[in-house]
Amino acid sequence: KQEVTQIPAALSVPEGENLVLNCSFTDSAIYNLQWFRQDPGKGLTSLLLIQSSQREQTSGRLNASLDKSSGRSTLYIAASQPGDSATYLCAVKYGNKLVFGAGTILRVKS
Amino acid sequence: DTEVTQTPKHLVMGMTNKKSLKCEQHMGHRAMYWYKQKAKKPPELMFVYSYEKLSINESVPSRFSPECPNSSLLNLHLHALQPEDSALYLCASSPLDMGFWETQYFGPGTRLLVL
């Protein structure tokens, strides 16, 4: 069964800290892996997409890595800001399906 | 136009009502999706339409009936729902020609409350 797990479930940090969110997946036959952001009651915004043959992608203060052989991805957020507070979802693409992790709820305190 | 729109934003309905959710995209995408998301849970796939044909139905109860009238429009018809069907319903679309770069674009969702 294709499962995606995210750790931690929730994280509260002071502004300015660097932080790491973790994602693991059981089936390594992936097309790609995406990190999404979701604000309360809103839709999903794609942050980064890593193709299955890639090791990492960067966008601004965000860096995502992928280790397909071990079934792991990390999202690194540098110099966190209160505006980064949201739920971060990891989603793995298998064929035409996205399988989501349960998310990490991030709170950045000012 | 690079967005997916959904109407209505909020919907309250009784268990005997019939209502419909609407999703629209004008990005020329050939796949459209319905997801259900309960509070503090990840989105769960319900249906996938590829080239206007239903390609995936994740064993969704028949009280949910999807329809894809054309490549830009996706509806979800609701009838005789239960209170446990209350959730955020998300629509997404994807191009189907991006291979390993294929990503889904999500709408803002419809918040449904069944009384």
Side-chain angles (χ1 to χ4, degrees):
Chain A
K1 186 181 176 185
Q2 295 159 341
E3 293 182 343
V4 179
T5 304
Q6 290 187 245
I7 295 173
L11 186 60
S12 182
V13 300
E15 182 177 3
E17 270 205 10
N18 302 326
L19 55 99
V20 174
L21 309 183
N22 296 290
C23 173
S24 61
F25 46 95
T26 54
D27 183 350
S28 62
I30 72 172
Y31 269 51
N32 60 47
L33 183 146
Q34 278 187 264
W35 285 92
F36 289 90
R37 170 186 171 137
Q38 187 174 31
D39 293 292
K42 305 290 186 186
L44 278 64
T45 301
S46 180
L47 298 173
L48 288 166
L49 182 152
I50 311 177
Q51 200 193 98
S52 63
S53 61
Q54 294 184 302
R55 299 286 291 186
E56 66 176 341
Q57 280 284 351
T58 298
S59 175
R61 294 182 294 109
L62 305 179
N63 175 276
S65 67
L66 173 65
D67 184 341
K68 200 171 77 160
S69 60
S70 67
R72 295 179 190 277
S73 175
T74 61
L75 178 67
Y76 176 83
I77 303 177
S80 58
Q81 303 170 357
D84 294 331
S85 298
T87 296
Y88 290 79
L89 292 159
C90 170
V92 179
K93 186 165 167 42
Y94 296 104
N96 206 17
K97 288 189 184 184
L98 277 182
V99 178
F100 285 87
T104 294
I105 302 171
L106 173 64
R107 180 176 168 229
V108 181
K109 299 171 286 187
S110 57
Chain B
D1 189 350
T2 58
E3 64 173 1
V4 176
T5 59
Q6 290 187 243
T7 54
K9 285 188 168 48
H10 302 276
L11 179 62
V12 180
M13 59 186 291
M15 289 189 284
T16 58
N17 291 158
K18 284 186 182 180
K19 296 285 185 184
S20 296
L21 309 185
K22 179 180 171 182
C23 174
E24 206 159 359
Q25 57 87 15
H26 296 286
M27 295 178 277
H29 290 175
R30 303 314 302 267
M32 296 186 78
Y33 310 78
W34 280 116
Y35 290 85
K36 174 182 177 180
Q37 186 178 25
K38 302 280 280 184
K40 300 191 186 304
K41 298 289 187 184
E44 294 178 353
L45 183 65
M46 300 174 72
F47 303 104
V48 180
Y49 273 82
S50 303
Y51 300 100
E52 300 166 47
K53 291 192 188 324
L54 183 64
S55 58
I56 297 176
N57 176 341
E58 293 287 276
S59 303
V60 178
S62 60
R63 57 185 185 269
F64 295 92
S65 175
E67 179 196 18
C68 189
N70 59 60
S71 60
S72 300
L73 189 55
L74 184 67
N75 298 318
L76 186 63
H77 303 297
L78 314 172
H79 174 55
L81 293 194
Q82 303 297 311
E84 59 264 29
D85 296 321
S86 299
L88 181 68
Y89 288 83
L90 293 164
C91 174
S93 70
S94 69
L96 278 189
D97 60 2
M98 296 292 290
F100 290 98
W101 290 108
E102 183 86 0
T103 183
Q104 294 181 17
Y105 296 76
F106 283 81
T110 292
R111 174 73 62 189
L112 174 66
L113 178 62
V114 182
L115 299 176

